[in-house]
Amino acid sequence: QVQLVESGGGLVQAGGSLRLSCAASGSIFSINFMGWYRQAPGKQRELVAGITSGDSTNYLDSVKGRFTVDRDYTKNIMYLQMTSLLPEDAAVYYCAANVRTAVTTGWKTFWGQGTQVTVSS
């Protein structure tokens, strides 16, 4: 129905940078929110950064000033630019989108498969 595909994860040294991408496709009528979540082993999944259809953004306190989320509306791709990475940032990063698949439907949340970010000290 709706597919979200993340890419850009990998191994980086502390202090380095990565840019994650999330491409949305399928039966999409409208998206009012897209966000990046992460989950480290033994911890709950948490919202890292989100962006609304009006380009309002919000960030986890611990990543403010280091991460930037933006969205390309022509391609339906969301990005997360991560700089000054810390070992604590290591996790599987997931893309989520709040999607309306048709004018007659309500809003539903879809998730990507996740991409691994590993930060070495």
Side-chain angles (χ1 to χ4, degrees):
Q1 188 177 28
V2 175
Q3 294 181 349
L4 303 176
V5 180
E6 302 100 330
S7 61
L11 173 64
V12 65
Q13 292 186 348
S17 300
L18 283 174
R19 189 168 84 147
L20 307 183
S21 300
C22 170
S25 62
S27 301
I28 300 173
F29 176 77
S30 183
I31 300 175
N32 67 4
F33 175 84
M34 297 185 75
W36 288 100
Y37 295 75
R38 69 186 182 189
Q39 188 165 26
K43 300 184 69 176
Q44 291 186 314
R45 186 172 298 186
E46 60 186 353
L47 175 65
V48 178
I51 185 166
T52 71
S53 59
D55 286 335
S56 295
T57 58
N58 63 91
Y59 296 91
L60 185 67
D61 284 345
S62 62
V63 309
K64 287 181 178 178
R66 299 189 296 118
F67 292 8
T68 302
V69 62
D70 58 19
R71 181 176 169 185
D72 183 339
Y73 288 92
T74 65
K75 299 180 179 179
N76 235 355
I77 299 175
M78 177 181 63
Y79 303 95
L80 183 67
Q81 179 65 53
M82 304 185 292
T83 62
S84 301
L85 281 161
L86 303 169
E88 304 93 274
D89 296 318
V92 177
Y93 283 70
Y94 297 91
C95 172
N98 204 37
V99 178
R100 193 169 186 170
T101 57
V103 69
T104 57
T105 67
W107 298 96
K108 294 183 179 180
T109 301
F110 294 87
W111 293 86
Q113 81 289 346
T115 185
Q116 177 72 54
V117 172
T118 303
V119 184
S120 62
S121 60

